[in-house]
Amino acid sequence: MSELKNDLFLRACKRQDVERTPIWIMRQAGRYLPEYRAVRAKADFLTMCQTPELVAEVTIQPVDIIEVDAAILFSDILVIPEAMGMHLEMNEGEGPVFPEPIRTIDDAKKLKNIDPTKELKYVLDAVSLTKKNLKNRVPLIGFSGSPWTLLTYMVEGKGSKNFSEVKKLIYNNQELAHNILDKLSNIIADYLSAKIETGCNAVQIFDTWGGILSQKDFEEFSLRYVEKIISQIKRKDEPVIFFAKGIHYKLDKMASIGADVLGLDWTMDLGEVRKQVGDKVALQGNMDPTVLYANKNYIKDETKRVLSSFGKGNGHIFNLGHGILPDVDPENAKALVQFVKEESKIYHS
Ligand code: CP3
């Protein structure tokens, strides 16, 4: 099917036969790895994202060090609003901040309508170099935030507890909200198409903040834009993964928006979801990220539990239910990967 030496991840996304369940970890290129921190010590976060050599280096680190079955391009969802003209600060210990958030029509007018192949060319250059340096060992995943999750950051300006500002926007100025969401959707579709064109073997859309919306609002302000994006992505057979955190409802609807894979957080039961969505999509997940704080025996038991909740057959990609936490011991991440590799074989015989 491909020249990839290990294509288990892609086969699992397409619900094809695999000898064992593949695993990768959200945020696998990150601060829990001393090797990442050593590179990061030399450059600030955005400079790292904009320097293909550094991107390639930290993207490949988890493939070498913890032996995952796929690489995910090191970058951030917030490079899109940054390219649209929003000044982005990555403050130590505080997370990302946009000092001038978008709250009014006049603010929104300042947003540039970008062509990702120009303004985000540095990401595509990083894709090319990473592909080259990966030497086809494992597939490369590209990603974007969903329009809703990007809008949340653009309006709040930073992480938030109640998401008051973005909620005020959708309730008081729906038209403006839809206008920005629509603009973001077109950019994201072009961006993900360009990543695939440049060599990404799959793409994931992160809807980290989908779960702060009511069911009705989730459909109106998030899901329908993701569906639109998926229909616009130019691809051959590259899988699209949709990860939405905190969504427990309308899974049949979620399974019908054109994504090949649904990413689940750790509060869901893989087996139950599998029953509901049948064989429409593959499932990715969903160990609680904090289980990696436990000892290895506990991690092993929990690995077995997640594998058995999906059960026998194809269409499972092992992952955490959200990103790996920065203070996790890398030895535990390595152990998890080995446990999945050993313990999953019995589900594919
Ligand atoms: O998965 C990977 O290894 C690829 C890299 C990746 C990063 N960010 C690197 C990063 C990915 C896929 C993201 C996506 C991302 N970024 C999301 C969606 C996924 C999720 O976790 O919900 C969100 C919401 C962001 C926004 C963002 N970027 C936050 C909230 C933070 C600060 C908190 C944190 O985890 O550090 C970032 C910074 C960031 N993005 C870092 C990394 C490695 C840490 C930066 C540093 O080195 O200081």
Side-chain angles (χ1 to χ4, degrees):
M1 182 200 82
S2 71
E3 69 280 46
L4 286 161
K5 293 184 186 89
N6 172 354
D7 68 352
L8 287 169
F9 161 77
L10 291 178
R11 278 191 270 151
C13 289
K14 296 172 192 169
R15 287 170 290 118
Q16 296 169 351
D17 281 343
V18 286
E19 309 78 70
R20 62 166 176 84
T21 307
I23 172 170
W24 69 278
I25 299 176
M26 288 189 276
R27 295 287 192 99
Q28 64 190 20
R31 282 172 302 182
Y32 73 104
L33 286 178
E35 293 84 353
Y36 169 87
R37 294 198 301 270
V39 178
R40 176 73 168 76
K42 294 183 277 183
D44 68 73
F45 184 74
L46 260 177
T47 305
M48 258 178 85
C49 292
Q50 291 165 349
T51 312
E53 289 71 21
L54 298 181
V55 172
E57 183 177 352
V58 298
T59 299
I60 298 171
Q61 282 177 350
V63 180
D64 289 331
I65 301 163
I66 62 167
E67 303 185 346
V68 283
D69 295 304
I72 179 163
L73 190 82
F74 175 83
S75 185
D76 200 83
I77 61 168
L78 301 177
V79 298
I80 288 182
E82 201 270 339
M84 293 170 84
M86 294 186 74
H87 175 63
L88 173 63
E89 287 173 6
M90 280 282 178
N91 301 333
E92 293 305 323
E94 198 193 347
V97 176
F98 290 116
E100 291 173 54
I102 305 296
R103 306 266 165 92
T104 65
I105 296 177
D106 284 340
D107 295 338
K109 278 187 190 145
K110 290 185 220 145
L111 291 172
K112 282 193 278 178
N113 199 358
I114 58 162
D115 172 353
T117 64
K118 298 203 175 79
E119 282 87 349
L120 290 166
K121 184 170 179 296
Y122 66 85
V123 180
L124 303 174
D125 291 342
V127 171
S128 302
L129 186 67
T130 306
K131 271 302 277 186
K132 181 167 162 261
N133 293 358
L134 261 176
K135 300 193 170 68
N136 279 326
R137 289 163 63 197
V138 294
L140 178 63
I141 306 168
F143 68 90
S144 170
S146 70
W148 168 252
T149 290
L150 290 185
L151 182 73
T152 301
Y153 278 102
M154 290 162 75
V155 174
E156 295 292 335
K158 54 184 189 307
S160 171
K161 212 163 146 203
N162 298 320
F163 299 93
S164 314
E165 296 301 332
V166 74
K167 295 277 179 105
K168 283 183 206 164
L169 180 76
I170 63 171
Y171 298 136
N172 297 313
N173 200 344
Q174 273 198 27
E175 201 186 321
L176 178 61
H178 280 302
N179 193 302
I180 305 173
L181 289 167
D182 200 57
K183 203 182 255 183
L184 286 170
S185 301
N186 292 327
I187 293 171
I188 292 167
D190 288 348
Y191 181 54
L192 293 177
S193 301
K195 280 186 169 172
I196 290 172
E197 164 90 36
T198 317
C200 286
N201 304 97
V203 291
Q204 173 156 322
I205 300 170
F206 285 91
D207 197 9
T208 306
W209 298 125
I212 65 165
L213 291 166
S214 70
Q215 299 191 21
K216 169 180 122 331
D217 289 342
F218 176 64
E219 278 206 58
E220 179 175 346
F221 293 99
S222 185
L223 201 55
R224 71 168 157 128
Y225 289 102
V226 175
E227 183 168 19
K228 184 175 137 163
I229 290 169
I230 296 175
S231 73
Q232 285 178 19
I233 296 175
K234 294 193 190 71
R235 53 178 173 146
K236 293 189 293 289
D237 61 349
E238 292 82 1
V240 176
I241 309 166
F242 178 42
F243 170 76
K245 191 162 167 279
I247 305 298
H248 294 254
Y249 43 83
K250 295 189 187 154
L251 292 161
D252 47 339
K253 173 94 207 278
M254 295 260 287
S256 331
I257 61 163
D260 302 273
V261 184
L262 288 187
L264 304 181
D265 71 35
W266 64 95
T267 63
M268 320 273 284
D269 184 274
L270 274 176
E272 289 298 319
V273 177
R274 190 181 181 190
K275 267 188 238 155
Q276 285 181 53
V277 300
D279 58 5
K280 278 199 272 191
V281 286
L283 298 177
Q284 176 175 281
N286 71 341
M287 182 186 270
D288 185 334
T290 59
V291 167
L292 292 181
Y293 291 140
N295 62 47
K296 292 203 174 101
N297 284 334
Y298 193 92
I299 296 171
K300 188 173 187 171
D301 286 346
E302 202 53 23
T303 305
K304 288 183 178 175
R305 199 191 57 73
V306 172
L307 287 168
S308 83
S309 77
F310 185 87
K312 258 187 171 299
N314 300 320
H316 181 210
I317 300 114
F318 203 105
N319 206 315
L320 300 179
H322 197 190
I324 189 167
L325 295 160
D327 55 348
V328 155
D329 182 346
E331 288 304 319
N332 286 3
K334 266 188 227 180
L336 167 67
V337 172
Q338 293 314 316
F339 293 149
V340 171
K341 290 183 176 180
E342 287 154 20
E343 302 295 334
S344 65
K345 287 183 195 141
I346 54 166
Y347 294 97
H348 300 282
S349 51

